[in-house]
Amino acid sequence: MTTKRTRVRFAPSPTGLLHVGNARTALYNWLFARHTGGDFLLRIEDTDLERSEVRYEAQLLEDMRWLGLDWDEGPGQPGEPEVGNFGPYRQSERLALYAEHTERLLAEGKAYRCFCTTEELEIERKQAAAEHGSQVYSGRCRNLLPTEIEKNLAEGKHFAVRLRIEDRPLRFHDLVRGPVEFAAETVSDPVLVRSASGVSAGIPVYNYVVTVDDALMEITHVIRGDDHLSNTPKQVAIYEAFDWAVPEFAHLSTILGADRERLSKRHGATSIATFREMGYLPEALVNYLALLGWGAEDGKTETFTLEELTRAFTLERVTPSPAIFDFEKLNWLNRHYLKLAAPERVVALTWRYFADRLPAQDAATGAIQDWFARLVAVFAPYVDCLEQLPAKTAFVFGFDAEAARMSEENAEVLAVDSAQTVLGELAGRVRAHTGVVIPETFKVWMNEIKAASGAKGKDLFHPVRIALTGAHSGPDFDKLLPLIEGGAVLGLGIASVRERVERFVGV
RNA sequence: GGCGCUAUCGUCUAGGGGUUAGGACGUGAGAUUCUCAAUCUUAAAACCCGGGUUCGAUUCCCGGUAGCGCUACCA
């Protein structure tokens, strides 16, 4: 038995930035295609002429590439030709195709012209609501006589095209939810093509074009958000009207914010572009999104490369229930991948956050590059995403002795009896020392200071740490000293150990 | 209002007619460290409610409740 090659599509509207919810849909489509050895197509749904923008389409393609989701068919970069034999892949370029199909439906009596005005329909709707019934079209224009139609057309009346729904249940199969059935009367005759009033005159509606496109592009599995679940019976009716095979569906649950409301901008970062700007790694985002609504067969594995996901992913294991986006878990995965990432890559990604501290990476001296690489290596384990690095390392670049003294937390440490002795001993050694302070020297000092002051442990180290960094927590001195002393000679305005101690202890 | 979808720790999930209901994030404790982060160990933490089927339901069925979606000549 031969099975048909699977073909799936991701069909976003270029009306804004790629949102994590849509990115997950794209990912699941891609994984399914790659897992089954099928085709992954990208189709741009730009029939909303007022909101669609070219820059969003370009951004979209870029975000997809960044995530590592390549497509077999779809638009190329602006100015470049599209790839695939089922195009065009922008709906705005397919209008003639839809018109042909509408003619066919009309000719076969599967669709009909509806001359009802918006006002008339509004009245019907209100009445239905008052009677607690479902708000469906009455079917008033369903059976107009040919003479009436002629008359209306002759009078120049505007009309919409409606699909004639047969009176039988509309059924389809959903890989995530099982069989789904809708009664015909809950669907009513849907509009396929808008009437000639307004800007969208004669433009076919979404549910219609999406079905025509999916059928013509021979899509075998429609994987999309579950906000389309209630639209599906209408689409099934369209497939049936054309006598087309109804594809398999897989409706993915909604991604919610912590308040159980649909995830939106007010929950914080939600677009792929924003996460990238914040310094999240694509592999972390991909891994997290994969886990949001899908689980490995062993129920335990949490980290996956794209290749591993491709092997493991099946739609049968996708969860039907809505999922709350958990930034903490994303952070954990990002920290995980930050540790695995090649150091040079992390450095290159981090450089942009230090634009006001450092020269551009390609303009920086080798010494600065080396030093910055060490800085990143030391501090990367402290952050959720790269964007947090400047704040974490701020004390290296600008040491504020005044703030260090005034801080409440520090005051507590400095108020301990031995603290001033410790600082005095430290200052004496620093002043007497010439050249760079290396960790070995520092270690000797600390032992001497320990003996001289009687302070040990926190009482010994905390005051010193404050004098050097302004805080009583941070990386090991072994790592910190080379960073400070190494940074001080780079002409970046970084204070040396000596300058720090002088500033902190002096007057 | 109508229709549909969903319901296991705080969160993401595994599981499934009899289980000590498993894993991960987060949280608490401990180890390590001068400290913080990291790391390791460890603890607490869940089957929405009510009926039915059954010797036995968290699991299957029905109802309720709640959340979400659709209910447009938006996509």
Side-chain angles (χ1 to χ4, degrees):
Chain A
M1 180 182 116
T2 55
T3 22
K4 216 164 128 195
R5 183 182 177 85
T6 58
R7 287 173 60 82
V8 296
R9 81 325 192 256
F10 174 54
S13 304
T15 55
L17 295 174
L18 180 62
H19 180 272
V20 287
N22 288 128
R24 186 190 57 170
T25 302
L27 174 65
Y28 284 19
N29 270 286
W30 186 91
L31 287 172
F32 178 77
R34 294 293 171 261
H35 180 83
T36 57
D39 297 322
F40 175 60
L41 346 199
L42 188 59
R43 185 174 69 220
I44 305 297
E45 312 228 312
D46 57 352
T47 47
D48 187 338
L49 301 170
E50 287 170 41
R51 292 192 297 148
S52 296
E53 288 186 37
V54 179
R55 66 186 172 105
Y56 286 132
E57 185 186 314
Q59 174 75 253
L60 192 80
L61 303 188
E62 200 186 318
D63 288 344
M64 292 285 288
R65 289 204 177 89
W66 182 72
L67 288 169
L69 309 181
D70 55 334
W71 53 96
D72 304 300
E73 297 175 26
Q77 287 291 17
E80 286 183 32
E82 59 181 26
V83 286
N85 301 320
F86 293 80
Y89 294 92
R90 285 186 193 85
Q91 288 187 330
S92 58
E93 297 167 17
R94 299 174 64 82
L95 265 16
L97 229 36
Y98 308 133
E100 275 171 39
H101 284 82
T102 307
E103 284 311 313
R104 184 172 142 195
L105 248 21
L106 244 16
E108 291 173 4
K110 302 261 177 70
Y112 59 91
R113 295 179 178 82
C114 172
F115 295 92
C116 295
T117 62
T118 325
E119 294 71 34
E120 288 167 338
L121 294 174
E122 187 55 32
I123 292 166
E124 273 187 20
R125 223 177 336 244
K126 286 214 174 101
Q127 196 172 340
E131 287 163 10
H132 300 288
S134 49
Q135 299 170 34
V136 298
Y137 175 60
S138 65
R140 180 152 32 139
C141 298
R142 231 174 180 246
N143 299 308
L144 290 180
L145 268 15
T147 50
E148 291 175 292
I149 296 171
E150 288 306 321
K151 183 165 165 275
N152 284 335
L153 289 177
E155 287 171 9
K157 278 194 181 172
H158 295 323
F159 63 88
V161 176
R162 280 183 191 273
L163 182 72
R164 194 184 301 276
I165 294 279
E166 306 284 335
D167 187 20
R168 59 189 148 86
L170 291 157
R171 298 193 180 93
F172 59 94
H173 185 255
D174 191 298
L175 259 353
V176 178
R177 293 152 211 279
V180 186
E181 182 179 314
F182 287 78
E185 59 266 29
T186 63
V187 177
S188 87
D189 293 355
V191 167
L192 262 25
V193 182
R194 299 175 176 89
S195 70
S197 51
V199 254
S200 313
I203 302 274
V205 304
Y206 169 79
N207 279 309
Y208 181 44
V209 298
V210 79
T211 307
V212 172
D213 287 345
D214 285 343
L216 262 30
M217 293 182 179
E218 297 180 12
I219 299 302
T220 58
H221 296 71
V222 175
I223 306 168
R224 71 220 318 187
D226 71 354
D227 45 336
H228 292 286
L229 195 59
S230 301
N231 286 329
T232 308
K234 286 179 195 166
Q235 298 172 13
V236 168
I238 295 169
Y239 280 104
E240 289 177 352
F242 280 112
D243 221 4
W244 284 331
V246 178
E248 286 281 347
F249 291 92
H251 286 97
L252 274 21
S253 66
T254 321
I255 296 180
L256 309 174
D259 54 2
R260 304 207 142 266
E261 303 250 352
R262 203 191 189 119
L263 191 70
S264 70
K265 280 172 207 84
R266 69 192 167 72
H267 293 102
T270 53
S271 72
I272 297 303
T274 307
F275 280 110
R276 180 176 47 196
E277 277 163 28
M278 291 171 78
Y280 284 88
L281 263 19
E283 56 267 45
L285 218 38
V286 162
N287 197 150
Y288 179 68
L289 256 18
L291 255 23
L292 200 59
W294 173 86
E297 199 163 5
D298 66 4
K300 292 186 181 178
T301 314
E302 301 279 339
T303 56
F304 295 87
T305 62
L306 254 191
E307 294 70 40
E308 288 165 341
L309 277 176
T310 300
R311 223 171 303 132
F313 186 84
T314 60
L315 284 174
E316 285 72 22
R317 295 195 60 80
V318 170
T319 337
S321 52
I324 293 173
F325 194 92
D326 182 2
F327 289 90
E328 288 302 332
K329 187 149 185 179
L330 204 214
N331 286 341
W332 170 72
L333 278 165
N334 202 48
R335 280 184 251 125
H336 172 78
Y337 285 107
L338 240 20
K339 276 172 219 150
L340 296 183
E344 321 82 70
R345 179 181 169 215
V346 179
V347 169
L349 289 172
T350 306
W351 208 281
R352 48 183 295 239
Y353 303 106
F354 289 82
D356 55 341
R357 308 271 199 203
L358 301 176
Q361 186 173 16
D362 46 19
T365 62
I368 290 181
Q369 302 225 15
D370 291 347
W371 174 81
F372 187 61
R374 281 187 285 135
L375 181 81
V376 171
V378 169
F379 285 94
Y382 285 80
V383 299
D384 298 323
C385 55
L386 267 15
E387 179 191 58
Q388 295 170 355
L389 242 15
K392 276 278 184 260
T393 57
F395 73 87
V396 174
F397 290 92
F399 176 68
D400 188 341
E402 186 65 18
R405 265 193 299 267
M406 303 314 280
S407 137
E408 222 168 287
E409 270 182 299
N410 290 351
E412 226 171 281
V413 174
L414 299 171
V416 174
D417 289 345
S418 58
Q420 295 311 317
T421 317
V422 168
L423 288 172
E425 292 286 336
L426 175 68
R429 281 171 180 75
V430 167
R431 285 184 186 121
H433 185 79
T434 49
V436 166
V437 181
I438 59 169
E440 289 71 19
T441 310
F442 184 77
K443 220 166 264 172
V444 173
W445 288 356
M446 291 309 281
N447 279 325
E448 291 172 1
I449 295 170
K450 184 180 185 178
S453 67
K456 56 180 182 179
K458 290 184 187 183
D459 289 343
L460 174 64
F461 281 88
H462 278 189
V464 173
R465 194 172 267 289
I466 291 171
L468 254 31
T469 71
H472 56 71
S473 69
D476 294 345
F477 281 113
D478 279 359
K479 290 177 176 170
L480 211 48
L481 288 169
L483 244 25
I484 291 174
E485 293 292 73
V489 298
L490 296 173
L492 297 170
I494 293 171
S496 66
V497 167
R498 181 193 196 93
E499 288 165 329
R500 284 165 197 253
V501 174
E502 292 280 20
R503 258 191 258 164
F504 188 78
V505 179
V507 264

